[in-house]
């Protein structure tokens, strides 16, 4: 390779989705390399206020995903129990409930990592974190 020559661009569609300058034409990917260009749920906690109704909507969608994919999830019962705990904690936001919600925010991404419900679980965790602020 001659000095001053630029390396050829990688094939489109095989990038990491992380830009360090230049053109970034690769699809967005999550940390396990799955294409996430068709995300249907999202929750942004940067500069936006998340209300309890947003969290409830994402919780309902997450429960639907868990029910739909229950046969292929390695921890379906745990995810259902966590969803129930989140629901209960949302109705009684005392100190104990806030602790349970913070625990869910920490545990949920690890429980859904690499599963069919990863996007919904992560969206739910981010929304709860934003609501707790």
């Amino acid at each position: 390779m001659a000095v001053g020559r630029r390396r050829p661009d990688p094939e489109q569609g095989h990038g990491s989705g992380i830009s360090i300058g230049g053109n970034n034409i690769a699809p967005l990917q999550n940390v396990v390399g799955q294409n996430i260009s068709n995300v249907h749920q999202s929750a942004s906690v940067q500069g936006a206020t998340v209300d309890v109704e947003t969290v409830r909507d994402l919780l309902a969608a997450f429960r639907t995903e868990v029910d739909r994919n229950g046969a292929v999830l390695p921890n379906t019962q745990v995810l259902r129990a966590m969803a129930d705990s989140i629901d209960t904690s949302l109705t009684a936001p005392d100190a104990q409930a806030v602790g349970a919600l913070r625990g869910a925010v920490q545990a949920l991404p690890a429980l859904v990592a690499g599963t069919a419900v990863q996007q919904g679980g992560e969206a739910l965790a981010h929304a709860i974190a934003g609501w707790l602020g």
Side-chain angles (χ1 to χ4, degrees):
M1 180 184 228
V3 175
R5 288 190 59 197
R6 190 172 156 218
R7 287 190 353 213
D9 289 333
E11 244 182 79
Q12 182 176 352
H14 294 285
S16 68
I18 299 171
S19 175
I20 57 172
N23 292 333
N24 184 8
I25 55 174
L28 293 175
Q29 294 180 338
N30 63 15
V31 294
V32 294
Q34 295 173 330
N35 187 336
I36 58 171
S37 61
N38 294 318
V39 174
H40 299 288
Q41 298 178 4
S42 66
S44 177
V45 296
Q46 295 180 351
T49 303
V50 177
D51 62 14
V52 71
E53 290 309 313
T54 300
V55 175
R56 288 186 192 282
D57 290 346
L58 288 169
L59 178 59
F62 178 69
R63 280 183 160 152
T64 300
E65 286 182 9
V66 169
D67 289 344
R68 186 176 341 135
N69 295 291
V72 297
L73 294 173
N75 49 10
T76 304
Q77 290 179 336
V78 172
L79 293 173
R80 285 182 178 141
M82 183 167 284
D84 290 343
S85 173
I86 291 168
D87 193 24
T88 301
S89 297
L90 290 174
T91 60
D94 59 11
Q96 184 176 358
V98 169
L101 289 170
R102 284 196 174 115
V105 167
Q106 293 175 343
L108 194 54
L111 288 170
V112 299
T115 69
V117 298
Q118 179 172 347
Q119 293 170 355
E122 288 177 353
L124 177 59
H126 288 292
I128 293 169
W131 182 65
L132 291 174

